[in-house]
C-alpha cells in the first residue's frame, strides 16, 4: 500500500494555533480598550465633580455678595433663580438653581444693644402692697404653662391648679402649687429691673378719623395714626352695629390711643374705654384669618401704644396683635407709655392773635388800620355818631396763629379783647361781634360798655364757651388759620365818639401729646381698689412682646389658646382660665440656630457645551444657611454662609 499524505494535518494545526493566538490578542486588546474607557470615564467623572464643585462655589459666592434675603418678589441671582455659567472653567458650562427654604428669624440676645427678645417670659415690676405680680385663676385640674422665666417684684398667687415655668423668682411670697423650685421672698431679685425699651414715637402721629361702618361681616380697615375716640370705636365694634361681625383690620404701623371722651365735648361722652364686643380685631399683616407672626419673620406688624387712662376691653370676639420683627429690639406689639404729659398753649397777652387787614369801607374810614387795632397804645380808630342810636360796622381780618395748630387739639377757651372808649359821659356804648373762621356757623356775642370818659377800658368777650362751635371744631380739625371779625359799635346819642384802640383774639388750647399712663391705670392695688383698672382686659393674643411697666393686664385664656407669644414686662398680670388649660399660655422664643434662612442649590454640568439647561439629574446638591446682622437689610459682601448639606445624587 501507498503511505498516507500528512501534509494536510499540519496545515490544520497551524490554523488552530493562529486562531487561538488571534482570539487571545483580541481579548487582550478588548481588555485594554475597556480599561482605557473606564479610565476615561473616571477622569470625566472627576472633572465633572470638580466642575460641579466650582459651579456650586460660584453660586454661593454670588449669594454672599448679594442682598437676597428671600423677600417676596426677589430672585436668588438678581433677575433669575438660575445662575448660568458659560465656559466658566474654560471648557464646560454649568447652571445652578436656587430655591429658598421657609424663612427663619434670628432670635438672640448677644448684648444689651442686640437683644430682640426679653430676658424673661414674664417680668412684673409693681411693688404696690396688696397687689400680686402674677395672679392665676383656673380650675383645680388645670396647669398654667409658661415657657421661660418668671420674675416678680411682688408676690405670686396661684388660687387653684398649678403653675409651671422655666424658673420662678419673686421678691414677695408665693402662694399655691408652683411646680419646680420657685425662689420666693428674695431680698435681691436678679433680672428684676425695667429693661426700659425705648418708644418708637417721638411725637404724636396724625389724627385719624374712624373708617366708615356700613356693611356687616366685612373688612373695616384702620390706618396707623392717633385715635382719641373710645366711644366711637366701641360703637363700631358692638354686636349690633351696622358693620357687626366684621374683621377690624389695623394695617401694619404704629397706633397711638389716647382717648378724650371724658374731656373733649366734641366727642361722644363716655369712659375712655375701647370695648370690642364682636368680630375679629387683627393688627398686622393679614394671614389666614389672623396676622403674620414676627416669630416667623414678618417685618410688617403693629405696635399699639396707649397713653393716659386709655384702655382696651375685649369682651367677646377675637383679638390678636402681631408685632414687627427686629434684629435688635423685641417685637413689641402692645405698649403703655411711662413718660410724657400734655401742656396747654396760651395765645394770650402779648401772644394774642392780631388783625392783619381792615375793610376800608366803614364809618371809621382811614383811621381803622391793622397797626392801630393791633396794639394798646392810645392810637385808635375813631368814629363819631351822626344820629341817635347810630351804628358803625367794620370788618377786621387776620388773627392767624403763629404756627399750625395740630389736629386733635382741644380748645380750652377763646375770647376777644377789645380796648375802647367813648366820649359821652351820660350814655353807654355797645359792641356786637361775629367771628367767622371760614367754616360752620359764625360765633356771635354782644357786650354793653360803660359810661363815656377819657380812659380806655378793655372788654373781654367770651367766644364758643361750650367748646363745640365752629372755632372749637376748626382747632380740633387742625384747620384754624385765622378769622374774619365783623364788629359793630353802637352809640346811643348823636355826636358821641367811639375810639377802638385794639382788637385781639385770645386762645388757649391743648395739643395732643404723648402722655404717660395716669388715672385709674396707675392706681392700685388692682383689683381690690375700685379706683384701679387694667390697661387691657379680656381675651387678647399678642404675637409679640408686651411692654407696659406701669399698667396691669387682666387677660382671659382658654384651652389651647395662648395669651402672650414673646414675653411681657408689666406692673402686674392676672390670668383667668375659662377651662382646663393645655399648651403654653405665655411663651418666650428660644434663641435660634446660627443662620437666618436656608437655600437649596442644585448644580448641572454640561461638558464642552455652551448653553447648559437646568434639567435632568443634577451633578451636585447643597443646602446652605445665610447669616445677616439684620436679616431685613443684608449687607452684600458681609454675609456669613453656613454649609448645611453637600451631596452628589447617587
Amino acid at each position: 500500500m501507498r503511505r498516507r499524505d500528512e501534509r494536510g494535518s499540519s496545515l490544520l494545526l497551524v490554523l488552530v494555533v493562529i486562531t487561538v493566538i488571534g482570539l487571545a490578542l483580541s481579548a487582550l486588546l478588548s481588555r485594554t480598550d475597556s480599561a482605557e474607557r473606564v479610565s476615561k470615564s473616571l477622569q470625566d467623572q472627576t472633572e465633572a465633580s470638580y466642575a460641579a464643585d466650582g459651579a456650586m462655589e460660584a453660586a454661593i459666592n454670588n449669594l454672599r455678595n448679594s442682598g437676597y434675603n428671600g423677600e417676596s418678589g426677589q430672585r436668588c441671582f438678581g433677575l433669575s433663580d438660575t445662575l448660568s455659567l458659560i465656559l466658566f472653567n474654560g471648557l464646560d458650562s454649568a447652571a445652578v438653581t436656587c430655591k429658598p427654604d421657609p424663612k427663619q428669624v434670628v432670635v438672640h440676645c448677644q448684648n444689651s444693644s442686640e437683644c430682640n427678645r426679653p430676658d424673661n417670659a414674664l417680668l412684673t415690676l409693681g411693688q404696690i402692697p396688696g397687689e400680686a405680680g402674677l395672679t392665676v385663676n383656673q380650675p383645680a385640674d388645670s396647669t398654667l404653662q409658661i415657657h421661660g422665666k418668671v420674675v416678680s417684684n411682688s408676690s405670686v398667687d396661684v388660687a387653684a391648679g398649678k403653675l409651671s415655668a422655666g424658673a420662678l423668682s419673686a421678691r414677695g411670697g408665693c402662694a399655691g402649687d408652683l411646680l419646680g423650685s420657685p425662689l420666693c421672698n428674695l431680698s435681691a431679685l436678679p433680672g428684676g429691673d425695667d429693661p426700659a425699651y425705648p418708644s418708637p414715637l417721638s411725637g404724636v402721629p396724625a389724627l385719624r378719623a374712624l373708617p366708615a361702618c356700613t356693611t356687616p361681616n366685612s373688612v373695616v380697615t384702620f390706618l396707623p395714626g392717633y385715635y382719641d375716640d373710645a366711644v366711637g370705636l366701641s360703637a363700631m365694634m358692638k354686636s349690633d352695629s351696622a358693620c357687626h361681625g366684621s374683621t377690624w383690620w389695623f394695617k401694619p404701623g404704629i397706633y397711638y390711643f389716647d382717648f378724650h371722651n371724658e374731656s373733649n365735648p366734641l366727642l361722644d361722652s363716655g369712659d375712655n374705654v375701647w370695648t370690642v364686643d364682636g368680630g375679629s380685631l387683627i393688627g398686622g399683616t393679614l394671614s389666614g384669618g389672623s396676622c403674620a407672626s414676627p416669630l416667623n419673620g414678618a417685618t410688617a406688624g403693629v405696635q399699639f401704644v396707649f397713653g393716659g387712662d386709655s384702655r382696651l376691653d375685649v369682651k367677646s370676639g377675637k383679638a390678636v396683635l402681631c408685632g414687627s420683627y427686629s434684629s435688635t429690639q423685641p417685637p413689641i406689639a402692645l405698649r403703655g407709655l411711662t413718660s410724657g404729659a400734655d401742656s396747654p398753649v396760651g395765645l394770650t397777652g402779648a401772644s394774642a392773635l392780631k388783625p392783619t387787614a381792615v375793610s376800608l369801607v366803614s364809618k371809621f374810614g382811614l383811621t381803622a388800620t391793622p397797626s392801630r387795632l393791633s396794639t394798646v397804645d392810645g392810637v385808635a380808630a375813631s368814629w363819631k355818631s351822626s344820629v341817635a342810636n347810630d351804628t358803625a360796622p367794620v370788618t377786621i381780618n387776620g388773627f392767624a396763629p403763629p404756627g399750625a395748630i395740630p389736629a386733635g387739639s382741644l380748645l380750652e377757651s377763646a375770647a376777644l379783647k377789645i380796648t375802647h372808649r367813648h366820649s359821652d359821659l351820660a350814655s353807654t356804648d355797645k359792641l356786637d361781634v361775629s367771628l367767622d373762621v371760614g367754616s360752620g356757623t359764625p360765633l356771635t356775642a354782644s357786650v354793653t360798655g360803660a359810661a363815656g370818659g377819657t380812659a380806655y377800658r378793655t372788654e373781654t368777650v367770651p367766644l364758643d364757651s361750650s367748646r363745640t362751635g365752629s372755632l372749637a371744631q376748626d382747632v380740633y380739625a387742625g384747620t384754624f388759620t385765622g378769622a374774619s371779625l365783623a364788629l359793630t359799635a353802637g352809640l346811643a346819642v348823636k355826636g358821641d365818639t367811639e375810639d377802638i384802640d385794639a382788637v385781639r383774639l385770645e386762645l388757649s388750647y391743648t395739643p395732643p401729646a404723648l402722655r404717660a399712663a395716669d388715672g385709674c391705670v396707675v392706681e392700685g392695688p388692682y383689683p381690690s381698689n375700685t379706683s384701679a383698672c387694667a390697661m387691657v382686659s379680656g381675651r387678647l393674643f399678642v404675637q409679640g412682646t408686651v411692654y407696659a411697666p406701669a399698667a396691669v393686664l387682666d387677660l382671659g385664656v382658654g384651652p389651647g389658646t395662648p395669651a402672650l407669644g414673646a414675653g411681657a414686662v408689666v406692673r402686674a398680670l392676672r390670668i383667668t382660665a375659662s377651662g382646663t388649660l393645655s399648651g403654653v399660655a405665655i411663651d418666650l422664643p428660644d434663641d435660634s440656630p446660627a443662620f437666618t434662612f436656608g437655600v437649596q442649590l442644585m448644580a448641572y454640568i454640561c461638558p464642552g457645551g455652551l448653553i447648559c439647561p437646568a434639567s435632568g439629574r443634577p451633578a451636585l446638591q447643597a443646602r446652605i444657611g445665610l447669616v445677616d446682622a439684620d436679616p431685613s437689610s443684608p449687607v452684600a459682601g458681609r454675609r456669613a454662609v453656613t454649609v448645611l448639606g453637600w451631596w452628589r445624587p447617587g
Side-chain angles (χ1 to χ4, degrees), residues 528-561:
S528 59
N529 183 349
T530 56
S531 297
C533 61
M535 188 185 83
V536 177
S537 56
R539 187 167 292 187
L540 170 69
F541 177 31
V542 180
Q543 293 204 61
T545 301
V546 175
Y547 181 66
V552 175
L553 267 61
D554 193 342
L555 302 181
V557 296
T561 58

Side-chain angles (χ1 to χ4, degrees), residues 10-61:
S10 298
L11 179 60
L12 181 59
L13 180 59
V14 170
L15 291 174
V16 170
V17 171
I18 292 174
T19 300
V20 170
I21 293 174
L23 291 173
L25 288 173
S26 177
L28 179 60
L29 292 174
S30 176
R31 183 180 182 88
T32 301
D33 182 61
S34 296
E36 290 179 352
R37 286 200 301 268
V38 169
S39 177
K40 181 63 167 62
S41 176
L42 290 174
Q43 181 180 353
D44 291 344
Q45 290 179 21
T46 300
E47 291 176 354
S49 177
Y50 288 151
D53 288 343
M56 191 68 76
E57 289 172 0
I60 292 173
N61 194 53

Side-chain angles (χ1 to χ4, degrees), residues 47-49 51-53 55 88 92-95 603-607 612-613 617-620:
E47 291 176 354
S49 177
D53 288 343
F88 73 100
D92 309 313
S93 295
Y604 300 85
I605 303 301
C606 300
C612 189
R617 185 163 61 173
L620 181 64

Side-chain angles (χ1 to χ4, degrees), residues 23 80 107 123 275 313 371-372 393 417 419 435 459 495 525 543 566 573 586 591 632:
L23 291 173
S80 174
V107 177
L123 169 61
T275 302
D313 183 15
S371 60
R372 286 179 176 232
K417 295 284 189 175
T419 302
L435 187 76
E459 308 288 354
Q543 293 204 61
L573 174 67
I586 301 175
D591 283 1
S632 63

Side-chain angles (χ1 to χ4, degrees), residues 143-421:
T143 299
L144 178 73
Q145 298 182 49
I146 299 178
H147 178 226
K149 295 183 294 184
V150 174
V151 178
S152 173
N153 276 275
S154 182
S155 57
V156 175
D157 183 8
V158 180
K162 298 179 176 63
L163 172 64
S164 173
L168 187 147
S169 56
R171 194 180 294 275
C174 299
D177 193 351
L178 281 64
L179 302 179
S181 301
L183 302 175
C184 308
N185 296 305
L186 300 176
S187 57
L189 190 67
D193 295 332
D194 184 354
Y197 298 129
S199 171
L201 293 175
S202 58
V204 177
L207 178 69
R208 295 293 187 186
L210 297 180
C213 171
T214 57
T215 307
N217 304 310
S218 59
V219 176
V220 180
T221 303
F222 294 78
L223 298 176
Y226 165 44
Y227 291 81
D228 65 350
D229 186 3
V231 173
L233 284 165
S234 300
M236 177 182 295
M237 299 181 189
K238 290 176 61 177
S239 59
D240 59 353
S241 75
C243 53
H244 64 86
S246 292
T247 294
W248 325 110
W249 179 36
F250 289 78
K251 298 182 72 172
I254 299 174
Y255 293 79
Y256 178 48
F257 301 101
D258 188 8
F259 302 134
H260 286 83
N261 296 88
E262 296 177 359
S263 59
N264 187 350
L266 291 173
L267 302 175
D268 289 335
S269 179
D271 293 334
N272 294 330
V273 183
W274 166 21
T275 302
V276 179
D277 200 14
S280 297
L281 187 159
I282 298 177
T285 300
L286 289 178
S287 177
S290 185
C291 50
S293 170
L295 306 179
N296 293 327
T299 57
V302 297
Q303 187 167 157
F304 277 19
V305 181
F306 285 82
D309 64 347
S310 303
R311 287 151 280 160
L312 170 63
D313 183 15
V314 183
K315 285 189 175 297
S316 66
K318 172 185 176 181
V320 56
L321 305 179
C322 292
S324 299
Y325 175 80
S326 166
S327 63
T328 58
Q329 291 289 326
I332 296 175
L334 179 63
R335 177 188 292 268
L337 292 181
T338 57
S339 63
D342 56 21
S343 179
V345 175
L347 301 175
T348 59
S351 300
L353 308 182
K354 300 175 181 179
T356 54
V358 180
S359 171
L360 296 177
V361 182
S362 78
K363 293 180 181 180
F364 287 89
L366 297 179
T367 65
T369 64
S371 60
R372 286 179 176 232
L373 295 176
S374 296
T375 308
V376 179
D377 56 4
V379 181
S382 299
W383 158 69
K384 186 174 184 178
S385 62
S386 57
V387 296
N389 297 317
D390 201 0
T391 59
V394 60
T395 301
I396 306 171
N397 299 315
F399 309 105
I405 296 177
S409 296
L410 176 62
L411 179 68
E412 303 293 351
S413 65
L416 284 168
K417 295 284 189 175
I418 304 175
T419 302
H420 71 115
R421 70 183 180 184

Side-chain angles (χ1 to χ4, degrees), residues 490-573:
L491 296 174
V493 299
K494 179 181 177 180
D496 195 1
T497 299
E498 180 76 24
D499 296 323
I500 300 178
D501 189 16
V503 179
R504 294 147 295 160
L505 176 61
E506 292 193 337
L507 294 181
S508 177
Y509 66 91
T510 301
L514 300 176
R515 298 195 303 142
D518 63 19
C520 68
V521 172
V522 297
E523 290 288 338
Y526 178 85
S528 59
N529 183 349
T530 56
S531 297
C533 61
M535 188 185 83
V536 177
S537 56
R539 187 167 292 187
L540 170 69
F541 177 31
V542 180
Q543 293 204 61
T545 301
V546 175
Y547 181 66
V552 175
L553 267 61
D554 193 342
L555 302 181
V557 296
T561 58
L564 306 174
V569 179
V570 294
R571 187 182 96 208
L573 174 67

